[in-house]
Amino acid sequence: MAERSTAAVDVADNSGDNPLTAKADAATTDGVAESIDTADTAEQGAGDTGGERKAAEPSIATPELHSGHKLARRYRLEECVTRLDGFSSWRAVDEKLRRAVGVHLLPADHPRARSVLAAARSSALLGDPRFVQVLDAVEENDLVYVVHEWLPDATELTALLALGPLEAHDAYQMVTQVSQAMAAAHREGLAHLRLTPGAILRTSSGQYRIRGLAVNAALRGIASDTPQRTDTEAIGALLYAALTQRWPYNSDAYGLHGLPKGVGLIAPDQVRAGVHRGLSELAMRALVNDGATASRQEPACTTPDELVKAISAMPRIRPPEPAFTAPPEYQRTTYQQGTYGRPPAGPRPQVTQAVPVPPPTLQGRTGKVIKWGVSALLIAALGLGSWQLADTLLGHDKGGSGESGTSQQTTKTDGDKPKVPVPLLIQGAEEYAPDGSPQDPGAVDKTYDGDSSTYWRTKSFFDGPEMAPSVKQGVGIVYDLGSAKNVSTASILLRYGGDHTKITLYATDSLSPSAPVGSMKKIATVKTNGTQAELKADKSVKAQYVLVWITAMPKAGVDQFSGAGYKQAITDVKFTS
């Protein structure tokens, strides 16, 4: 069943091409950039962690196109972003789907046209949402063009680093997500070879996306005999820059100053005070491939997979606690600021407070009459109270002896009190994809981080709301409760409402179960049209691992991640016993 993702991202990465960037900005009024020298000298120095360029190629004229030109009667060119080495990159509009896209253009007789088409089609087959998706790769009318996503809410890492180094948690999230994505790409035989700060994008939801997988290197004729090592060193350079706001080589690049000449490659925590020690050592392990840092002698990381394992072995870096703002001083009311309140602030004339005079004692015959009347009332009240108390005691005795008492009083015991639900702490989670096609494996921890603005999401599907049999059997996440606990209820917050979402809880045997869902013990199931699902078991089930399994999803409209279709996202999951 076809899946689709209509999220959008930026176009060609031109960071680091300092002289070319300046020239690309000098566009004519119709949006066509002026002729630019194709010599890419900015990338020849030590400031580039990508692979090596292929042999020099003859200068090729960039196709002369203008704003408003249409490709395939569908893609309308809007603004030229890059013109370099015989190709150009544009921001365009897909008039059929009414969305912004990016387009790379080069002549069909360009010596790199074949490799660009092959790289684009290989990247499109990956279908990993952590990468900018290639939407189309076509040769038509003596032109080769590659259409890809455009994310209007994404920010380049270059722009983020211009404001200063990243906070430790942000740097940890960046290197984790980028390493996991590149490890997945290399398992499919794809390399990037041009992982620069301009190739890393952070969306408004805090997710990091990688653009230009295989395509950016093909456009620039970059190749490498050791692609995994090249990409791993590039990730190390990105982490180094995120921690220090310095490029880990002698030359300045991507808007960052390089290291001082003659000092060599020094650890990030020696460049800037306050750098997280674990992240500093991780950056050195990715950059230094002939050995590890001198402090711990850990082995170097030469592949993204090794880098992912090194990150998973580190203690997880939590986000900083929100700053506590002291509440304003308690304001006393006018009544409290009276005789017994604090004196008013500021110089004011002292006013003597008049002390009320107590009333005089009752004198004479009238006063004595009132005194005796009050005394008589008090004696009567005491007598009446004593009589009622005695009558009550006698009544209890009679009821106990069975003489005349007929009423019985029922006493509640502690066993009659309702049981208070006990929250169960989630220790970890992993996405469950028995068909080998995960949805958003890097975001499962966002379903129990206590932040309702973050979430794990599915892809958008054409058929629904029931997923089986046309789409797949279901999608879900397995949660680890740390040890076997009695699971009675679950509260799940969802992002999309509508007809309808169906969720079932299962007890399973591990965080990555190999058994099919049908063999697992069912705890509870619910069907909802809203954005909150409450599941309650008839009888609590003891389990350490609990699967939240979605088999039906509502239809939702276009958002920043995907187009209209049947989809769902989980923002928060809580279990109680």
Side-chain angles (χ1 to χ4, degrees):
M1 178 58 204
E3 300 175 359
R4 63 181 180 184
S5 174
T6 56
V9 198
D10 203 350
V11 284
D13 172 16
N14 201 28
S15 301
D17 304 328
N18 296 328
L20 301 172
T21 305
K23 295 179 184 179
D25 290 337
T28 59
T29 55
D30 65 350
V32 180
E34 297 175 357
S35 177
I36 298 175
D37 183 12
T38 58
D40 193 7
T41 56
E43 295 178 343
Q44 301 296 332
D48 193 352
T49 60
E52 298 179 356
R53 277 188 176 274
K54 297 177 181 177
E57 297 164 349
S59 177
I60 298 176
T62 306
E64 288 298 331
L65 301 174
H66 56 82
S67 299
H69 183 89
K70 285 187 183 180
L71 301 172
R73 299 183 180 180
R74 174 175 179 177
Y75 304 111
R76 186 181 74 249
L77 302 182
E78 292 285 323
E79 177 186 5
C80 183
V81 178
T82 304
R83 190 178 294 275
L84 173 71
D85 280 2
F87 75 89
S88 59
S89 298
W90 295 74
R91 176 177 59 83
V93 174
D94 182 350
E95 294 187 335
K96 183 176 181 180
L97 297 180
R98 297 182 180 181
R99 62 180 178 181
V101 293
V103 178
H104 300 309
L105 278 166
L106 67 165
D109 58 352
H110 194 290
R112 297 198 289 265
R114 302 295 99 196
S115 60
V116 169
L117 275 176
R121 288 165 180 170
S122 298
S123 178
L125 291 175
L126 181 62
D128 191 319
R130 294 171 291 191
F131 293 93
V132 176
Q133 299 296 298
V134 172
L135 306 175
D136 211 351
V138 179
E139 180 178 358
E140 182 182 64
N141 297 330
D142 298 326
L143 282 177
V144 168
Y145 58 90
V146 176
V147 183
H148 60 86
E149 296 176 305
W150 178 288
L151 262 186
D153 69 333
T155 305
E156 282 188 8
L157 183 59
T158 308
L160 297 175
L161 293 180
L163 304 176
L166 299 187
E167 189 269 335
H169 176 260
D170 290 336
Y172 173 78
Q173 288 294 325
M174 184 274 294
V175 72
T176 300
Q177 295 179 32
V178 172
S179 300
Q180 290 176 348
M182 287 311 305
H186 278 282
R187 284 194 290 269
E188 298 298 327
L190 292 172
H192 196 290
L193 304 183
R194 192 172 162 78
L195 277 173
T196 67
I200 309 302
L201 304 166
R202 187 172 72 178
T203 65
S204 58
S205 63
Q207 290 182 312
Y208 287 89
R209 304 280 299 274
I210 303 173
R211 68 182 177 190
L213 178 66
V215 176
N216 275 5
L219 284 169
R220 290 166 170 81
I222 298 173
S224 174
D225 295 331
T226 55
Q228 295 205 49
R229 178 170 174 171
T230 298
D231 283 342
T232 305
E233 289 185 7
I235 297 172
L238 292 174
L239 178 57
Y240 196 106
L243 296 173
T244 64
Q245 203 185 9
R246 300 288 292 265
W247 194 239
Y249 302 98
N250 291 335
S251 300
D252 298 347
Y254 313 110
L256 302 172
H257 292 296
L259 297 177
K261 296 184 182 298
V263 301
L265 182 59
I266 55 178
D269 55 1
Q270 297 176 17
V271 175
R272 189 176 71 88
V275 172
H276 189 278
R277 179 69 180 276
L279 292 177
S280 174
E281 294 179 351
L282 185 68
M284 295 300 288
R285 291 178 64 186
L287 283 169
V288 183
N289 284 285
D290 56 354
T293 60
S295 58
R296 293 183 58 185
Q297 294 299 319
E298 293 282 356
C301 299
T302 59
T303 67
D305 263 324
E306 291 178 0
L307 195 56
V308 169
K309 292 177 182 177
I311 295 171
S312 62
M314 290 176 53
R316 184 178 179 185
I317 300 176
R318 299 286 181 180
E321 294 292 335
F324 175 75
T325 304
E329 185 180 359
Y330 177 69
Q331 299 295 324
R332 296 176 181 271
T333 62
T334 305
Y335 173 78
Q336 290 170 319
Q337 292 174 350
T339 306
Y340 300 101
R342 291 181 295 182
R348 293 188 181 183
Q350 296 294 328
V351 179
T352 304
Q353 184 78 22
V355 179
V357 180
T361 56
L362 296 174
Q363 301 292 335
R365 187 172 182 180
T366 304
K368 291 181 180 181
V369 171
I370 294 175
K371 288 180 182 180
W372 283 109
V374 172
S375 300
L377 289 174
L378 288 174
I379 293 171
L382 288 172
L384 180 61
S386 300
W387 176 78
Q388 288 180 340
L389 178 61
D391 182 67
T392 302
L393 292 174
L394 290 173
H396 275 293
D397 291 341
K398 290 179 180 179
S401 60
E403 294 178 359
S404 60
T406 57
S407 64
Q408 295 183 357
Q409 185 174 359
T410 303
T411 304
K412 288 188 176 181
T413 64
D414 292 340
D416 296 325
K417 295 180 180 178
K419 184 179 179 181
V420 179
V422 178
L424 301 178
L425 184 63
I426 298 174
Q427 303 290 341
E430 284 189 12
E431 183 171 331
Y432 177 62
D435 59 353
S437 177
Q439 303 298 298
D440 194 8
V444 292
D445 58 339
K446 295 179 181 179
T447 62
Y448 60 95
D449 59 359
D451 186 356
S452 59
S453 65
T454 60
Y455 46 84
W456 166 90
R457 62 186 180 85
T458 70
K459 296 178 181 178
S460 181
F461 299 95
F462 287 107
D463 292 342
E466 298 293 337
M467 302 181 70
S470 59
V471 178
K472 53 173 63 186
Q473 295 302 311
V475 295
I477 302 173
V478 178
Y479 293 91
D480 181 7
L481 303 181
S483 61
K485 306 286 178 63
N486 288 322
V487 181
S488 298
T489 62
S491 178
I492 302 174
L493 296 183
L494 306 170
R495 180 173 173 81
Y496 306 109
D499 187 21
H500 60 271
T501 302
K502 187 175 181 181
I503 303 176
T504 306
L505 296 185
Y506 292 96
T508 185
D509 57 353
S510 69
L511 202 56
S512 301
S514 57
V517 175
S519 64
M520 300 178 186
K521 183 176 180 59
K522 183 187 292 187
I523 300 175
T525 186
V526 71
K527 179 178 176 182
T528 179
N529 294 335
T531 57
Q532 183 169 357
E534 300 290 341
L535 296 95
K536 186 174 182 181
D538 295 334
K539 185 179 180 181
S540 62
V541 175
K542 195 165 189 177
Q544 177 178 349
Y545 304 99
V546 179
L547 169 63
V548 175
W549 188 240
I550 302 176
T551 54
M553 301 183 293
K555 191 168 187 178
V558 178
D559 56 22
Q560 69 267 34
F561 292 111
S562 58
Y566 293 92
K567 54 187 176 180
Q568 190 53 274
I570 298 177
T571 64
D572 192 46
V573 173
K574 292 180 181 177
F575 299 105
T576 56
S577 64

